[in-house]
Amino acid sequence: MLGVLAAAAAGLWAWRRFHPVSFWYCIGFPARAVLVYLTWHHVASGCKLTRNRRRFRLTFDAVPLGRKHGPAEAAVRRVDVERAPRLGILRPTRLGWRMRLRLHDGQVPADYEKAAEGIAHAWRVHSVRVVDVRPGFVTLWATMRDPLVDVVAEPKPASFSRFVPASWRTAETG
């Protein structure tokens, strides 16, 4: 059993090392999408992007502690419920993902620009950019790593008549 686990771990490592793009789309992005959807309410609450809404909820007045106390009485009451902005569908990109958010009433894109660094730290990504797409919506672009770290400049051309731009090769792919 240990040998199977070791072989699977070695295979995943080799896949990530030699084919990082396919690994990202098949394994990395789905895992990150689950993390984003599961933690969004807590992240939005920590970055102060949630709003309180009044909702009807079933509440219990008392919990019986023994035989002497009567049964707990249930009542429907209005309570404050904290709601995070609604997430759209996460879409993968080569360097991370993007997602569209619907803003709460009274929110502006500047609120999300102030919270972008906190969101990036909570999701353990390099950066989060906020793009204003239309009224009531913003798009968050999350970047997993810095795209400018691995820029390689080509050697100078032999003649001055042609221009050779820098290439965007990464250290992982070549």
Side-chain angles (χ1 to χ4, degrees):
M1 184 65 161
L2 223 47
V4 171
L5 290 176
L12 287 174
W13 176 84
W15 185 12
R16 184 176 182 191
R17 171 80 171 97
F18 296 112
H19 298 286
V21 175
S22 67
F23 182 84
W24 167 246
Y25 284 113
C26 294
I27 302 292
F29 174 72
R32 283 297 175 138
V34 168
L35 174 80
V36 167
Y37 281 123
L38 290 178
T39 62
W40 172 240
H41 183 78
H42 296 291
V43 171
S45 178
C47 294
K48 303 202 181 352
L49 297 174
T50 58
R51 296 288 185 253
N52 285 336
R53 302 283 188 198
R54 303 275 294 167
R55 297 286 183 244
F56 286 105
R57 294 287 187 251
L58 181 66
T59 59
F60 294 101
D61 288 338
V63 177
L65 298 175
R67 284 189 242 165
K68 295 179 182 177
H69 299 286
E73 293 183 21
V76 176
R77 293 196 176 94
R78 287 180 62 98
V79 296
D80 285 334
V81 176
E82 192 175 55
R83 291 199 47 218
R86 209 172 94 196
L87 284 179
I89 297 171
L90 268 74
R91 292 183 170 85
T93 62
R94 190 171 150 262
L95 295 174
W97 67 88
R98 65 186 165 97
M99 65 182 165
R100 185 170 286 179
L101 289 171
R102 181 173 176 81
L103 301 179
H104 283 305
D105 295 337
Q107 283 185 332
V108 294
D111 297 337
Y112 288 85
E113 289 171 1
K114 285 188 269 185
E117 188 175 350
I119 294 170
H121 282 286
W123 286 336
R124 294 178 212 90
V125 296
H126 174 70
S127 66
V128 172
R129 289 184 306 137
V130 179
V131 179
D132 185 14
V133 289
R134 65 180 191 176
F137 292 91
V138 294
T139 300
L140 298 181
W141 288 76
T143 306
M144 294 293 293
R145 57 184 167 77
D146 189 2
L148 300 178
V149 168
D150 299 326
V151 175
V152 178
E154 294 292 328
K156 291 186 178 184
S159 67
F160 292 107
S161 63
R162 72 182 185 137
F163 174 75
V164 178
S167 66
W168 287 86
R169 291 182 292 187
T170 63
E172 297 169 348
T173 60

